[in-house]
Amino acid sequence: MNLNLKMSLSPHIHSGNSVKKEMYGVIWALVPVWLVSIYFFGVDALRVTLISVLACLAFEWLIQKFLNKTESTLWDGSAGVTGILLAFNLPSNLPTWMIIVGAFVAIAIAKMSFGGLGQNPFNPALVARVFMLISFPVQMTSWPVPDALNFSMVDAQTGATALGIMKEGLKNGEPMSELMNHIPETFDMLLGRMGGSMGEVSALALILGGLFMWWRKIITWHIPVSIIATIALFTGILHALNPGQYATPSFHILAGGALLGAIFMATDMVTSPMSKKGMLVFGIGIGLITVIIRVFGAYPEGISFAILIMNAFVPLINKYLKPNRFGKEVKNG
Amino acid sequence: MSSFATHTLKTFSIGGIHPPENKWSAGQKIVTLPIPKQVSIPVIQHIGAPSKVLVNKGDVVKVGQLLAESSGFVSANVHASVSGKVSKIESAFDSSGYKRISVIIDVQGDEWLENIDLTDNLISNITLESAEIVKKINEMGIVGLGGATFPTHVKLSIPENKKAEYLIINAVECEPYLTSDHQLMMEKSDQIIVGTRILMKALKVNKAIIGIENNKPDAIELFSQKLSGPSDIEVVALKVQYPQGGEKQLIKSVLNREVPSGKLPIDVGCVVQNVGTAFAVYEAIQKNKPLIERVVCVSGHDLKNPSNFMVRMGTPVETLIEATGGVPEGTNLIINGGPMMGKSISRLDVPVTKGTSGILMFKQTVSNHNQYQACIRCAKCVSVCPMGLEPYYLMSLAQKNRFDEMEAAYPTDCIECGSCSYTCPSHRPLLDFIRLGKSEVNQIIRQRNQR
Amino acid sequence: MSETIWLTIVILVAIGSISAIVLYIVAKKFYVYEDPRIDEVVNILPNANCGGCGYPGCKAFAEACTKAEDLSNLFCPPGGSDNMKNVAELLGLLAVQKEPQVAVLRCNGSNQNRKKTSRYEGVENCSIASQFFGGDTDCTYGCLGYGECVDACTFDAMYMDKDTGLPVIIENQCTACGACIKACPKDLIELRNKGKKSRRIFVSCMNEDKGAAAKKACDVACIACNMCVKACKYDAIAIVNQRAYIDFSKCVLCRACVSVCPTNAIHEINFPARKVTAEKVEEPQLEA
């Protein structure tokens, strides 16, 4: 009897997990954030996301088809995730052509030129964001002020982010108590009623997405928690030393892209360390650099730079911070 | 007595996975399979040196008669599992996919050696002394029945400068699908307990622990009842976690001791034996019965009657499958052993050997090994590795043939549990390459030691 | 403006000179003497860095040659005897003369000749597959066909034939460096003397099973029938481990064995076509 049996090596079963499932899991986690941004920024938010995603997919397809001549991995979701994350890092009133330029930088330069999925040292969406922040500083920093269900498409009011107000005010020597009147209430920041890029405004939706990814085991708690804890600790110390000069930890965590960065950008699998210890060091590094840039640097926001800087350290972290090997240090008892 | 359910269960600390259990043959009584017409008994059914054949073509043998003699310290005797005439001694396929020297016996009747006790009486009085027990276990050809088939007497011979404190009985059966150990525990609990005491005496230890995973509450209940009150044997319920059946993981789970890298369980005062081995030891010492039969679980997708069989060594796998209703339509993968660590077999005429804990028939629609995507560096393999290694890194080194660099990443610690390949979202064949690297690195180390 | 220019020049010249002095001192202080003949030897060698000599690269081999007092253990297979003669002349030593060799594949278990009995779904890598099983046919000695030898060849002298599933050696390009031999986990590739007019005869089978089993697994297996041994007048053929082996140093390329082989396991290469077809040989009795 010839059954023509399959010969394969153990293990013969698989968890059924796939790159596609992981990536679509991230996309699901981003849905609440997206809905909130549509609620606050209206049709424009829809426009920016769609253009960004479509442009990312198009660039990936073109490059794989005509330059690499490899099989297309268009639908594994990774380009889609990059597109959504890029959109979330942009103001909703950005001109279409700029979004396409951003998508090109993210996919063609930051991802495909290194060899595609899994090879890029830096987070593609963040590379694009930083590229655009430096190239188009005016457009990238005039944020539409969110107005619930504003579908009118008339000239929306623009303003600075909470972090921008803080930075500008402190530079002009205004006291902190004065400044606190200009920045949104903590509760508003939690919901997202403040100026900012599309994805970073609502802390609640971001945390919800993060919990979803943690539950689906797409990410572990190490990176987000260590980033946020470091920011809280560092700004807490500064605030305790001089409350007139430095804002509260809760302001620093809720304002700007700290949560978006900590939950969605820093946890990008490709560009984060492999071991738990490494993840903690990575997170602490991001937290420290973020606060340093925010408080002492020229830019009001620092988390994108912080993540990119720490991305560069990832190979080094992987080399020196190995996972705890079984039987390496013996503690018997 | 149900304290095992109320407090947090013990388990090992690093890594681990929980694949779907699918223990379909659980609760099926062990059925003694009729003796086949012909058996093929390979002379190497264990880890170590092949045994030396003692019989010739045409010899008439009885059940329990020695067929091949162990040819070194790490080697094991092989006995006839049936009575009849030796028709051939030739190299035949065994389940490894290679040909091995095998003794082929045409069955005639069922005649046993006279000194073997075939009654069901439980003999709990242990008369032999420690050294005699080890000697007899060696004679009876007993090897680890968990699947690794390491000769048992080697594990029981403790080097002079070391001392055993605990005997740990591995009743974890962490592999999905398999139920042979579970069923054996339910049906032969008294014999297993006596077997455990024999092993304790052989090791001169006064404490034994039986580790059972919590997915077998009936077995935990049964053993806890039998061993209630102050006892030399403790039953420990463990959280379900693969690969808890690995020696090092089991010691970590029950005693929280960590076997140092490159060392053996005895270095932390433990000896681990499978529950099936404990039963075989009982039969060998108290009943004079060599290791000639074992429990084999037969299970699989759409199989009519998943069963647990008591099978004579050398029975063709085909016979077992026929007894469960034949190979189901659409089966494309048959595994000897569990789905995580077993080997696939290419033909059905291969014999059941000492290491065959199960025969599984799968319908697999996706290939796990040759269509894989790029590593997305998600670190899932790192977080599930029970040895705390970096599978992604080991694989990339092995793929590039950089074996000299690989040694520093400890591929030799790998226990080949397959958790990394199981969990990889890119379906990368991590373990395949780590296995390759492991053997290459071992070769490098051997060459260096020779110099 | 002019001040800026000359200041720049002065500064650059100063930096340049200081660096040059530092470099000069360091080069003098840490100078290591290297035999100038090493580079000359390297220039003679083929510089393929194939490792066929047993040294990591041509430079290491050249170093070994200049240090050696006698070249009897040193040979560069891709370069061959002529090349070694040049090396020896340069160093004033005597070179070993070796017949030019070429790699041959000792398995003819093509898809047509060898029935598949299972199908391997795993990493297409010979080392991994052979660790795990004997192959997807009943012959556990033959070629697995995943092309590790082809990957190992640095001279593009091998390719996989898709129809047969076996690697093919392009003999004009083969330098006998031995990389494929190291790569093959089944030890199927052997270096044999190239022979007169590149003519070679060899047994293309490594099966150690008994005749009946070998024949059942593969149509062109050596069944150790002894016909070739009897046919050979020069005592060049011996049967070891149930398979015939032709000693190329004794073989005179008479082709007597080729015509008697009942399974066509003996191959002749680069011979002209036979004028008269060989007599049909009776099938030998197979051992049961």
Side-chain angles (χ1 to χ4, degrees):
Chain A
M1 180 166 48
N2 190 357
L3 287 162
N4 193 20
L5 289 171
K6 191 155 109 176
M7 299 294 284
S8 59
L9 286 100
S10 67
H12 302 283
I13 49 175
H14 190 268
S15 58
N17 201 355
S18 67
V19 175
K20 223 171 172 169
K21 277 190 187 166
E22 299 266 300
M23 291 301 169
Y24 285 101
V26 177
I27 292 175
W28 277 113
L30 286 164
V31 165
V33 187
W34 189 54
L35 291 177
V36 168
S37 71
I38 292 176
Y39 176 79
F40 282 124
F41 300 110
V43 187
D44 255 354
L46 205 64
R47 175 187 65 99
V48 174
T49 330
L50 274 182
I51 289 167
S52 166
V53 171
L54 287 178
C56 282
L57 289 174
F59 284 124
E60 173 137 324
W61 184 78
L62 287 171
I63 290 170
Q64 284 182 333
K65 176 98 182 168
F66 296 106
L67 279 178
N68 295 2
K69 299 195 167 69
T70 50
E71 219 175 299
S72 172
T73 53
L74 196 58
W75 302 114
D76 68 6
S78 63
V81 169
T82 305
I84 297 175
L85 284 175
L86 174 64
F88 284 4
N89 274 298
L90 303 173
S92 62
N93 55 356
L94 204 68
T96 303
W97 69 272
M98 281 188 194
I99 304 171
I100 294 173
V101 169
F104 176 77
V105 172
I107 296 295
I109 294 175
K111 184 179 168 191
M112 298 314 280
S113 63
F114 289 100
L117 182 62
Q119 313 288 324
N120 48 305
F122 298 104
N123 187 326
L126 276 182
V127 172
R129 178 197 149 101
V130 167
F131 172 84
M132 290 167 82
L133 190 65
I134 294 165
S135 312
F136 317 116
V138 178
Q139 288 89 338
M140 284 293 288
T141 48
S142 57
W143 314 95
V145 171
D147 188 4
L149 293 173
N150 172 15
F151 288 103
S152 57
M153 292 290 282
V154 286
D155 283 357
Q157 214 187 333
T158 57
T161 60
L163 283 168
I165 297 168
M166 180 73 69
K167 192 104 208 174
E168 202 58 31
L170 288 173
K171 215 161 80 183
N172 298 339
E174 289 173 49
M176 181 62 84
S177 51
E178 186 91 351
L179 282 172
M180 288 312 272
N181 298 330
H182 296 295
I183 63 169
E185 296 284 314
T186 308
F187 184 68
D188 281 348
M189 295 207 293
L190 206 59
L191 288 179
R193 220 168 285 146
M194 60 175 173
S197 72
M198 279 173 50
E200 68 187 30
V201 291
S202 172
L204 268 187
L206 288 164
I207 292 169
L208 197 70
L211 286 176
F212 174 78
M213 289 202 293
W214 177 72
W215 171 70
R216 282 276 307 268
K217 293 190 178 154
I218 295 168
I219 60 168
T220 56
W221 57 268
H222 300 79
I223 294 175
V225 169
S226 60
I227 293 177
I228 291 166
T230 311
I231 294 180
L233 192 74
F234 196 7
T235 54
I237 293 169
L238 290 175
H239 182 71
L241 288 175
N242 186 356
Q245 183 70 26
Y246 304 110
T248 57
S250 66
F251 170 80
H252 271 289
I253 290 166
L254 295 174
L259 283 172
L260 179 67
I263 294 170
F264 287 100
M265 313 298 278
T267 54
D268 171 35
M269 297 156 184
V270 180
T271 55
S272 59
M274 303 298 270
S275 69
K276 301 278 184 290
K277 270 186 281 182
M279 289 178 188
L280 291 175
V281 168
F282 179 73
I284 292 168
I286 291 173
L288 284 178
I289 298 172
T290 304
V291 178
I292 289 170
I293 294 176
R294 278 186 182 184
V295 175
F296 306 108
Y299 279 96
E301 173 58 303
I303 190 143
S304 356
F305 294 105
I307 294 172
L308 288 177
I309 291 169
M310 287 311 287
N311 279 166
F313 280 100
V314 166
L316 205 65
I317 293 174
N318 282 340
K319 189 169 161 103
Y320 289 106
L321 290 174
K322 298 282 179 189
N324 285 327
R325 202 153 49 78
F326 187 97
K328 186 185 165 199
E329 297 158 49
V330 179
K331 319 177 273 273
N332 284 333
Chain B
M1 230 32 252
S2 60
S3 64
F4 57 85
T6 52
H7 60 86
T8 346
L9 292 161
K10 287 181 175 179
T11 191
F12 54 95
S13 54
I14 309 173
I17 53 173
H18 188 186
E21 288 162 26
N22 295 334
K23 304 231 181 203
W24 297 321
S25 50
Q28 296 290 331
K29 287 264 174 301
I30 297 174
V31 179
T32 306
L33 205 69
I35 303 163
K37 287 198 184 75
Q38 194 185 52
V39 295
S40 158
I41 302 174
V43 295
I44 177 153
Q45 304 185 21
H46 49 263
I47 288 182
S51 310
K52 210 167 75 218
V53 185
L54 294 178
V55 290
N56 294 311
K57 189 175 162 182
D59 285 3
V60 175
V61 294
K62 285 182 180 173
V63 183
Q65 190 176 325
L66 193 62
L67 287 184
E69 176 184 51
S70 104
S71 61
F73 182 56
V74 184
S75 183
N77 286 344
V78 177
H79 299 82
S81 60
V82 293
S83 59
K85 200 167 140 195
V86 178
S87 71
K88 272 185 267 187
I89 296 171
E90 64 165 22
S91 62
F93 277 102
D94 78 348
S95 50
S96 70
Y98 277 102
K99 287 186 169 181
R100 311 274 194 215
I101 302 288
S102 307
V103 179
I104 293 159
I105 305 173
D106 287 330
V107 179
Q108 291 162 353
D110 192 21
E111 209 178 315
W112 292 65
L113 284 185
E114 290 73 22
N115 63 346
I116 299 173
D117 179 0
L118 290 173
T119 59
D120 269 345
N121 308 335
L122 181 76
I123 309 167
S124 20
N125 190 20
I126 306 159
T127 49
L128 294 181
E129 281 312 306
S130 172
E132 291 170 328
I133 295 173
V134 178
K135 191 162 161 269
K136 195 158 179 188
I137 285 175
N138 186 3
E139 277 167 17
M140 293 297 180
I142 293 176
V143 300
L145 293 182
T149 63
F150 193 76
T152 301
H153 69 272
V154 181
K155 269 189 176 179
L156 297 178
S157 313
I158 292 161
E160 272 176 23
N161 52 351
K162 285 168 191 152
K163 196 180 172 310
E165 289 172 66
Y166 289 95
L167 168 69
I168 297 171
I169 296 294
N170 184 350
V172 169
E173 200 158 54
C174 59
E175 281 264 13
Y177 296 87
L178 299 186
T179 56
S180 44
D181 286 354
H182 183 190
Q183 203 49 39
L184 189 73
M185 281 192 282
M186 295 311 292
E187 292 182 25
K188 309 279 184 193
S189 53
D190 294 318
Q191 287 90 330
I192 290 168
I193 290 169
V194 177
T196 307
R197 294 222 164 92
I198 296 170
L199 287 167
M200 286 165 72
K201 195 168 176 188
L203 289 167
K204 297 177 189 140
V205 298
N206 40 29
K207 191 81 197 148
I209 300 169
I210 302 182
I212 309 176
E213 272 190 357
N214 206 27
N215 55 3
K216 297 178 262 295
D218 47 352
I220 299 171
E221 190 83 59
L222 183 69
F223 275 82
S224 303
Q225 261 166 26
K226 301 228 170 186
L227 298 165
S228 60
S231 173
D232 48 348
I233 304 174
E234 190 192 340
V235 180
V236 177
L238 301 166
K239 193 182 153 205
V240 182
Q241 180 102 313
Y242 179 85
Q244 195 140 236
E247 281 191 334
K248 294 180 175 184
Q249 275 65 36
L250 185 61
I251 295 169
K252 179 78 184 167
S253 296
V254 298
L255 286 172
N256 197 25
R257 293 187 184 184
E258 209 165 295
V259 180
S261 168
K263 294 283 170 63
L264 296 169
I266 189 65
D267 291 295
V268 291
C270 298
V271 173
V272 183
Q273 293 289 356
N274 182 268
V275 66
T277 316
F279 177 67
V281 164
Y282 165 81
E283 298 252 282
I285 303 294
Q286 308 293 64
K287 305 267 189 181
N288 285 322
K289 190 171 156 191
L291 184 55
I292 54 154
E293 55 184 7
R294 67 159 297 148
V295 185
V296 179
C297 152
V298 183
S299 183
H301 297 156
D302 291 343
L303 190 67
K304 283 196 194 96
N305 313 304
S307 324
N308 299 303
F309 291 122
M310 186 61 98
V311 189
R312 301 279 175 93
M313 303 297 172
T315 306
V317 165
E318 205 167 1
T319 317
L320 275 75
I321 294 175
E322 270 162 21
T324 53
V327 180
E329 195 70 32
T331 297
N332 58 6
L333 176 67
I334 299 185
I335 306 163
N336 168 21
M340 293 300 290
M341 291 186 75
K343 285 188 112 180
S344 61
I345 54 180
S346 63
R347 41 205 300 147
L348 297 180
D349 56 359
V350 298
V352 168
T353 57
K354 292 175 181 176
T356 311
S357 48
I359 301 289
L360 304 177
M361 280 158 276
F362 277 22
K363 288 178 188 178
Q364 230 178 34
T365 45
V366 283
S367 164
N368 288 338
H369 294 274
N370 60 358
Q371 287 162 332
Y372 53 93
Q373 287 167 288
C375 172
I376 56 165
R377 308 177 69 76
C378 65
K380 285 205 164 52
C381 55
V382 179
S383 61
V384 298
C385 180
M387 298 308 288
L389 304 174
E390 294 167 291
Y392 78 98
Y393 180 57
L394 290 167
M395 171 171 170
S396 69
L397 288 179
Q399 254 182 327
K400 294 170 194 147
N401 289 334
R402 280 154 66 180
F403 299 113
D404 34 358
E405 275 167 73
M406 201 171 170
E407 196 183 336
Y410 301 95
T412 44
D413 274 5
C414 172
I415 59 167
E416 304 186 19
C417 68
S419 301
C420 46
S421 298
Y422 174 83
T423 195
C424 179
S426 290
H427 289 251
R428 289 173 78 74
L430 292 153
L431 179 57
D432 303 5
F433 278 99
I434 295 172
R435 242 190 240 116
L436 173 69
K438 198 176 160 180
S439 73
E440 295 281 342
V441 167
N442 273 328
Q443 217 170 328
I444 292 172
I445 294 172
R446 258 202 308 277
Q447 276 171 3
R448 195 176 46 222
N449 289 348
Q450 267 169 16
R451 247 177 250 150
Chain C
M1 193 60 193
S2 64
E3 194 174 295
T4 319
I5 290 170
W6 71 255
L7 201 65
T8 314
I9 293 169
V10 167
I11 290 171
L12 280 176
V13 167
I15 292 172
S17 332
I18 292 166
S19 314
I21 292 164
V22 170
L23 278 175
Y24 177 78
I25 294 168
V26 170
K28 273 282 168 211
K29 179 131 175 99
F30 297 105
Y31 177 72
V32 180
Y33 173 77
E34 196 185 49
D35 195 333
R37 294 179 304 169
I38 294 177
D39 282 339
E40 288 173 42
V41 175
V42 169
N43 287 337
I44 297 172
L45 293 172
N47 272 318
N49 289 319
C50 66
C53 52
Y55 289 87
C58 294
K59 176 112 189 196
F61 179 69
E63 225 177 301
C65 285
T66 49
K67 277 183 195 149
E69 287 174 1
D70 130 62
L71 290 179
S72 55
N73 292 325
L74 296 160
F75 191 78
C76 168
S81 290
D82 291 346
N83 199 290
M84 280 314 288
K85 217 160 108 189
N86 292 341
V87 172
E89 261 171 35
L90 181 90
L91 300 172
L93 297 168
L94 219 64
V96 213
Q97 295 296 311
K98 274 190 187 168
E99 288 253 350
Q101 289 190 315
V102 69
V104 297
L105 177 72
R106 290 185 289 172
C107 175
N108 193 22
S110 60
N111 291 336
Q112 292 77 29
N113 293 335
R114 219 165 26 143
K115 265 202 312 287
K116 297 248 186 279
T117 51
S118 58
R119 87 203 122 89
Y120 174 65
E121 281 195 9
V123 186
E124 304 228 326
N125 177 307
C126 300
S127 314
I128 288 178
S130 75
Q131 265 189 348
F132 158 60
F133 76 138
D136 47 12
T137 65
D138 278 351
C139 171
T140 57
Y141 303 91
C143 178
L144 293 161
Y146 306 119
E148 217 167 301
C149 48
V150 177
D151 295 340
C153 185
T154 46
F155 296 95
D156 283 339
M158 293 182 96
Y159 67 92
M160 288 303 292
D161 187 329
K162 289 226 169 64
D163 289 336
T164 60
L166 296 174
V168 179
I169 297 155
I170 308 166
E171 65 178 79
N172 295 335
Q173 247 139 289
C174 177
T175 59
C177 72
C180 49
I181 297 173
K182 278 180 216 141
C184 181
K186 299 271 188 189
D187 279 333
L188 293 175
I189 302 173
E190 189 198 9
L191 287 181
R192 295 182 73 92
N193 281 356
K194 213 163 185 174
K196 275 180 205 144
K197 296 184 190 165
S198 282
R199 287 173 180 176
R200 290 183 297 286
I201 295 177
F202 62 95
V203 180
S204 187
C205 181
M206 290 288 276
N207 197 313
E208 292 180 15
D209 284 337
K210 283 185 181 163
K215 176 80 181 153
K216 201 177 153 206
C218 178
D219 291 343
V220 291
C222 170
I223 53 174
C225 64
N226 243 358
M227 299 285 278
C228 51
V229 179
K230 283 178 207 152
C232 185
K233 296 190 187 92
Y234 304 91
D235 203 19
I237 309 180
I239 292 194
V240 187
N241 290 340
Q242 306 281 340
R243 64 172 184 239
Y245 179 77
I246 302 176
D247 185 345
F248 54 76
S249 58
K250 290 182 189 163
C251 178
V252 297
L253 307 172
C254 70
R255 294 201 271 175
C257 52
V258 181
S259 46
V260 297
C261 181
T263 57
N264 294 323
I266 303 179
H267 287 204
E268 48 173 49
I269 290 183
N270 294 332
F271 281 92
R274 279 161 206 272
K275 284 183 189 119
V276 194
T277 41
E279 268 178 70
K280 184 108 175 78
V281 192
E282 248 178 87
E283 283 268 317
Q285 206 71 42
L286 291 180
E287 209 181 319

